[in-house]
Amino acid sequence: QVQLVESGGGLVQPGGSLRLSCAVSGSIFRIGTMAWYRQAAGKQRELVATITSGGSTNYADSVQGRFIISRDSAKNTMYLQTSSLKPEDTAVYFCKMYVFRTTFSGTDYWGQGTQVTVSS
């Protein structure tokens, strides 16, 4: 079984920063693209950032220049360094990884989510 566990969320003041982590465990052959999503109360889940196995990154316009996505392949862990946080960044943040359990067979797995609240 494959399991993703997020950590690092919390309450932070506007302008502050948080570092989110997402660690994967289980029977894994390799990991493809990783991504962070977020879902604010009453809104649809939205893509925040992605990172490929080769390290290429993409960001939503709303977080470009403020968030940095990274991965540590040796630790099977992904990070989201957030900075200059705004109240509108408040949401539950979810990680997603495309995990290959065999050479050619991959599946998307999701974490359980971690709450980020930006408020004074």
Side-chain angles (χ1 to χ4, degrees):
Q1 187 63 288
V2 174
Q3 185 177 16
L4 274 62
V5 178
E6 296 119 335
S7 60
L11 173 64
V12 63
Q13 292 186 341
S17 61
L18 286 173
R19 189 193 195 204
L20 308 184
S21 299
C22 176
V24 61
S25 61
S27 177
I28 299 167
F29 179 70
R30 65 183 177 89
I31 303 173
T33 296
M34 301 177 174
W36 286 97
Y37 287 75
R38 67 186 181 186
Q39 186 167 18
K43 295 187 177 181
Q44 290 188 332
R45 191 172 297 189
E46 64 174 354
L47 178 64
V48 174
T50 62
I51 184 167
T52 67
S53 57
S56 296
T57 59
N58 274 292
Y59 298 91
D61 289 343
S62 59
V63 306
Q64 181 76 47
R66 300 188 297 121
F67 291 8
I68 298 174
I69 188 172
S70 61
R71 62 191 286 170
D72 184 334
S73 297
K75 296 181 179 180
N76 286 336
T77 301
M78 171 175 62
Y79 305 96
L80 186 69
Q81 179 66 54
T82 69
S83 61
S84 301
L85 284 164
K86 305 174 182 180
E88 51 263 44
D89 294 317
T90 296
V92 178
Y93 284 70
F94 298 89
C95 62
K96 185 182 77 169
M97 295 186 185
Y98 192 77
V99 177
F100 291 84
R101 302 189 69 186
T102 64
T103 303
F104 300 110
S105 176
T107 304
D108 277 328
Y109 290 89
W110 289 85
Q112 82 286 354
T114 185
Q115 176 71 46
V116 172
T117 302
V118 184
S119 175
S120 55

